[in-house]
Amino acid sequence: MDEWTEVTTARERVETIATTLSQPRTANWVAEQAEVKWDTAKKYLDELVDGGELLVTDSGAYVPDPTRAYFDQLRELILTNDRESLRGELEAIAERIEGWKEEYSVESRSQLEQTLAEDLGPAEIRDRRRVLRRWETSVRTRDRITGALAIYDDVAALANDVPGSKTIGTTG
Amino acid sequence: MAIFGVWTPVERKLLERVHDRLAGTGGCTSVRYAPSRIDANEVLADVDPVVFLGRDYGADARIRVEFDLSGDSPHYWIQWWEPERERGFGWHCDETEPEYGPVHFQVEYPDRPTEREKAAYIEDEHPYRTFERHFASIESTIDELSW
């Protein structure tokens, strides 16, 4: 199997690290993580800032622009799914959540979280923590889909106004 | 991660990078998100070991990658599993086995109890780099294991 540095360019590695940061980081730190020289990291980081993907903090650290990330994801949801797929996903999420409620005899995610204080074995705790993570992700996904559906028509109309543009509603 | 009270999709973007890496790796097929593409929690790939390892191996395998970035430091699960042989191994960073430190290496057997041992932990490492480090070591790990 090829190493990361063999199958990617320096630019790709900087972009991978920088666009998935959970907190502001220096160019030096990004360079180390992306296995590139400092000046190479700095150049590509500044390009990502110019392109609106990253912000620079007062101390000169880089962090993904949260508003850009948020809208990019809404845009992607709209441009790569038709309304029916999004509604179908909402139904699937509702079923998943209902299934967890039944399986663990709880009414809510927080109630399942409270059961971790009970006398459970390590395997059961691991299992419940995993479900808690999934439950949280599903709730967030549900909120984003709801947001995407609220602006779906406007965004779809804008995209469809461009001659020869990508067709809305593919589920790739 | 929450900034200004709004959650931004770092975990999702991280999974997309992992998905693309697996999809571009020889021997990794049916690369997919679970439970679904939109509501992704993890990335799964079926593995043809003949292509992935470059030698005859005798059983198919599956790779599973999951992150949890909600805490102070990243949690992750990077797993190699052989369904037919009911065995596998993986690196788990999830605070469920504190006696082994922040990360433990876990081997599961079809007929023996699960074995765990302390695994290397690199402080302040980007989770994608963590994934690449473990992903690159799968082959040597298989060679070292006496199943």
Side-chain angles (χ1 to χ4, degrees):
Chain A
M1 194 204 77
D2 292 326
E3 297 277 337
W4 189 34
T5 48
E6 293 169 339
V7 295
T8 52
T9 63
R11 183 196 198 106
E12 285 168 337
R13 293 197 299 282
V14 169
E15 191 187 354
T16 293
I17 297 295
T19 57
T20 55
L21 290 172
S22 309
Q23 57 178 294
R25 295 289 193 169
T26 62
N28 205 36
W29 191 87
V30 172
E32 187 184 309
Q33 299 299 310
E35 298 187 51
V36 301
K37 291 181 179 150
W38 176 85
D39 54 349
T40 305
K42 180 89 174 75
K43 181 175 87 169
Y44 294 136
L45 286 165
D46 288 339
E47 282 181 12
L48 288 164
V49 172
D50 291 343
E53 289 214 54
L54 301 182
L55 298 173
V56 188
T57 66
D58 292 343
S59 61
Y62 298 85
V63 69
D65 181 337
T67 59
R68 170 72 179 260
Y70 178 78
F71 282 113
D72 276 356
Q73 198 167 41
L74 283 182
R75 181 176 175 272
E76 192 212 338
L77 275 175
I78 293 164
L79 297 185
T80 61
N81 299 280
D82 54 29
R83 283 185 209 74
E84 207 172 312
S85 304
L86 293 177
R87 290 198 188 100
E89 193 68 42
L90 285 179
E91 284 171 23
I93 287 170
E95 281 172 24
R96 269 198 279 282
I97 291 174
E98 207 48 48
W100 293 322
K101 285 179 179 177
E102 280 177 30
E103 187 177 351
Y104 297 98
S105 304
V106 293
E107 289 299 316
S108 64
R109 186 187 174 279
S110 60
Q111 204 180 343
L112 178 61
E113 200 162 22
Q114 286 163 20
T115 68
L116 292 175
E118 295 170 6
D119 189 19
L120 302 167
E124 185 63 24
I125 287 174
R126 259 196 306 276
D127 173 67
R128 290 185 184 214
R129 280 185 178 169
R130 197 175 180 195
V131 170
L132 284 165
R133 282 198 306 279
R134 289 173 183 210
W135 197 323
E136 188 176 21
T137 302
S138 288
V139 168
R140 286 170 176 168
T141 305
R142 186 182 64 196
D143 292 348
R144 278 199 309 281
I145 293 173
T146 305
L149 284 169
I151 58 172
Y152 196 100
D153 288 352
D154 289 347
V155 176
L158 285 170
N160 284 331
D161 278 347
V162 182
S165 72
K166 188 177 172 183
T167 307
I168 301 292
T170 55
T171 52
Chain B
M1 120 175 129
I3 299 184
F4 318 132
V6 177
W7 179 79
T8 57
V10 170
E11 257 172 51
R12 165 82 201 192
K13 286 177 92 83
L14 201 52
L15 287 178
E16 284 171 6
R17 297 287 175 166
V18 169
H19 179 284
D20 292 351
R21 170 66 158 129
L22 293 176
T25 300
C28 290
T29 59
S30 303
V31 183
R32 59 206 182 271
Y33 297 104
S36 73
R37 184 176 61 91
I38 296 176
D39 192 26
N41 246 101
E42 60 185 62
V43 175
L44 295 162
D46 294 337
V47 181
D48 176 354
V50 174
V51 181
F52 186 78
L53 302 171
R55 57 183 164 87
D56 191 23
Y57 188 67
D60 288 345
R62 189 177 300 151
I63 288 174
R64 181 177 87 82
V65 181
E66 184 177 351
F67 300 100
D68 177 9
L69 307 180
S70 60
D72 293 337
S73 63
H75 286 179
Y76 61 84
W77 299 262
I78 298 165
Q79 187 77 29
W80 169 276
W81 179 250
E82 299 172 17
E84 295 153 42
R85 291 168 164 168
E86 294 182 341
R87 69 183 196 186
F89 61 84
W91 296 271
H92 300 184
C93 176
D94 60 4
E95 294 170 13
T96 57
E97 311 287 343
E99 62 270 41
Y100 300 105
V103 187
H104 66 272
F105 176 69
Q106 182 166 311
V107 187
E108 289 165 71
Y109 302 90
D111 52 359
R112 275 193 274 165
T114 299
E115 287 176 1
R116 294 181 181 89
E117 63 182 50
K118 187 174 181 164
Y121 174 66
I122 297 178
E123 196 145 352
D124 204 29
E125 181 178 54
H126 189 286
Y128 185 82
R129 192 176 159 87
T130 305
F131 155 72
E132 281 287 350
R133 189 164 50 84
H134 289 308
F135 187 49
S137 71
I138 286 175
E139 191 172 348
S140 59
T141 302
I142 289 170
D143 291 339
E144 287 163 19
L145 276 176
S146 49
W147 298 95

